[in-house]
Amino acid sequence: MIERYTKAKNGLWDYAVRESRNGTFLHMRGYMDYHSDRFNDFSLLAFDSKNRLIAVMPANAEGTTLCSHRGLTYGGWLMTPRADTNAMFALWQEFTEFAKSAGFKSLLYKPVPHIFHKYPAEEDLYALWRSGGVLEAVQSSSVTDLASPLPFDNNSRRALKRAADAGIVCRECSDWAAFWGILGIVLNERHNTSPVHSLAEICLLHERFPHNIKLFAAYRGTEMLAGTVLYITDTSAHAQYIASSDAGRECGALACLFDHLYRLMATKVRWFDFGISNEDGGRVLNHGLTRQKSGFGARCITFNSYRLNL
């Protein structure tokens, strides 16, 4: 049985996310609902024949298209241990009929990449393919395996030495305003854009998820030179934002910061994800940005999107 999410099911939803094999804190309602005014939420819950909740799907409606929630980078069906291949295959057939009866003509689906899985969870991809789903977009993300990281390249090692000579120190901090100042300048000057989250929004989300959303920065004395906002899940540390001042670039602050974070996060998670370096659904690659991340030992995984005509 498929049901649409309502606020009355908040506790049940969050329970399913915590129990799922592929859900993260981004799928908790406390994260999703901070921008609920921007999306027509059409999230779904799926129950088996014994009325047990086996999966939830963050989603929103855009006309006649049902989308994996646009406010999230990823988030298809989040599956509990009960949702094996047979169960997911049956669920998918019921789900597509439900979506058609609700007036949808297509599905845009963004599954959770494997680096965020707590246990193998790709039953949805098999069911999607069997239903006729096709690949629509492929985005390149740069990821380091902290269990066996590749070494920094020569440029990054030289940057580390400059940082050591400059006395750079890296640590977790709470000066969100200082980092947002650096970040705003970098995004405006280099990309003519601004952060997806306002300063007030990121502070709110950090307050709601203090163990998952953290700010780390590189300092020379009391001056912040560079920083990154980490989204920390059970399996991965994702750099949601990265920025360095001009002075930070001169003295290799980012290399020092990521060297510090690799060692720190290796005791907590397996993967360090620098995020995508693409535009236009992956059709345009930012070669310079990809080269910088590669210099820190990161290599490519893909964030895929699929379309299914209903």
Side-chain angles (χ1 to χ4, degrees), residues 95 118 219 230 242 260:
F95 157 62
K118 292 173 282 189
Y219 287 87
L230 290 191
I242 304 170
H260 169 77

Side-chain angles (χ1 to χ4, degrees), residues 275-297:
I276 63 172
S277 305
N278 308 125
E279 299 173 12
D280 191 23
R283 294 172 181 84
V284 178
L285 177 66
N286 186 325
H287 292 277
L289 188 56
T290 300
R291 189 176 303 112
Q292 180 190 36
K293 296 171 181 178
S294 179
F296 298 135

Side-chain angles (χ1 to χ4, degrees), residues 246-289:
D246 291 339
R249 283 188 284 274
E250 290 175 4
C251 63
L254 279 179
C256 183
L257 180 60
F258 290 124
D259 178 66
H260 169 77
L261 289 175
Y262 277 15
R263 288 181 277 107
L264 178 66
M265 289 295 137
T267 64
K268 307 175 187 301
V269 298
R270 177 171 180 180
W271 308 104
F272 193 98
D273 174 29
F274 284 94
I276 63 172
S277 305
N278 308 125
E279 299 173 12
D280 191 23
R283 294 172 181 84
V284 178
L285 177 66
N286 186 325
H287 292 277
L289 188 56

Side-chain angles (χ1 to χ4, degrees), residues 155-156 158-164 166 168 170 218 225-226 244 246-258 296:
N155 287 337
S156 297
R158 285 194 290 269
L160 273 176
K161 185 177 186 308
R162 293 199 306 274
I168 302 300
C170 301
L225 298 179
S244 174
D246 291 339
R249 283 188 284 274
E250 290 175 4
C251 63
L254 279 179
C256 183
L257 180 60
F258 290 124
F296 298 135

Side-chain angles (χ1 to χ4, degrees), residues 34-136:
Y34 89 90
H35 51 17
S36 59
D37 58 316
R38 303 176 203 173
F39 302 95
N40 179 14
D41 191 281
F42 211 95
S43 298
L44 301 172
L45 301 91
F47 299 84
D48 65 12
S49 59
K50 296 181 180 179
N51 203 34
R52 297 175 299 188
L53 182 61
I54 62 170
V56 296
M57 178 178 164
N60 69 282
E62 294 183 359
T64 58
T65 299
L66 179 62
C67 305
S68 283
H69 204 288
R70 293 283 199 181
L72 303 170
T73 306
Y74 50 82
W77 282 108
L78 311 177
M79 297 168 281
T80 69
R82 287 196 181 94
D84 62 11
T85 303
N86 289 327
M88 194 64 206
F89 190 65
L91 182 159
W92 196 276
Q93 292 178 307
E94 185 177 358
F95 157 62
T96 53
E97 290 303 317
F98 176 92
K100 284 190 285 188
S101 67
F104 293 109
K105 297 186 177 183
S106 64
L107 168 69
L108 180 64
Y109 192 77
K110 299 183 296 184
V112 179
H114 72 88
I115 62 170
F116 302 106
H117 294 185
K118 292 173 282 189
Y119 200 82
E122 294 186 353
E123 291 87 351
D124 58 336
L125 294 183
Y126 176 69
L128 172 62
W129 176 74
R130 285 287 301 273
S131 297
V134 295
L135 190 62
E136 180 169 273

Side-chain angles (χ1 to χ4, degrees), residues 105-220:
K105 297 186 177 183
S106 64
L107 168 69
L108 180 64
Y109 192 77
K110 299 183 296 184
V112 179
H114 72 88
I115 62 170
F116 302 106
H117 294 185
K118 292 173 282 189
Y119 200 82
E122 294 186 353
E123 291 87 351
D124 58 336
L125 294 183
Y126 176 69
L128 172 62
W129 176 74
R130 285 287 301 273
S131 297
V134 295
L135 190 62
E136 180 169 273
V138 178
Q139 300 196 82
S140 164
S141 189
S142 300
V143 175
T144 298
D145 183 350
L146 296 179
S148 183
L150 294 176
F152 282 18
D153 68 5
N154 289 335
N155 287 337
S156 297
R157 286 197 294 270
R158 285 194 290 269
L160 273 176
K161 185 177 186 308
R162 293 199 306 274
D165 292 342
I168 302 300
V169 175
C170 301
R171 64 177 183 269
E172 184 179 352
C173 68
S174 58
D175 197 348
W176 295 88
F179 178 66
W180 239 243
I182 296 172
L183 179 65
I185 292 171
V186 170
L187 291 179
N188 181 58
E189 291 182 349
R190 296 196 168 195
H191 306 287
N192 193 31
T193 188
S194 57
V196 173
H197 302 89
S198 68
L199 176 59
E201 286 172 339
I202 198 67
C203 288
L204 171 67
L205 292 171
H206 167 66
E207 183 179 336
R208 290 181 179 179
F209 300 96
H211 300 297
N212 301 105
I213 301 175
K214 297 187 177 186
L215 173 62
F216 293 87
Y219 287 87
R220 180 170 56 193

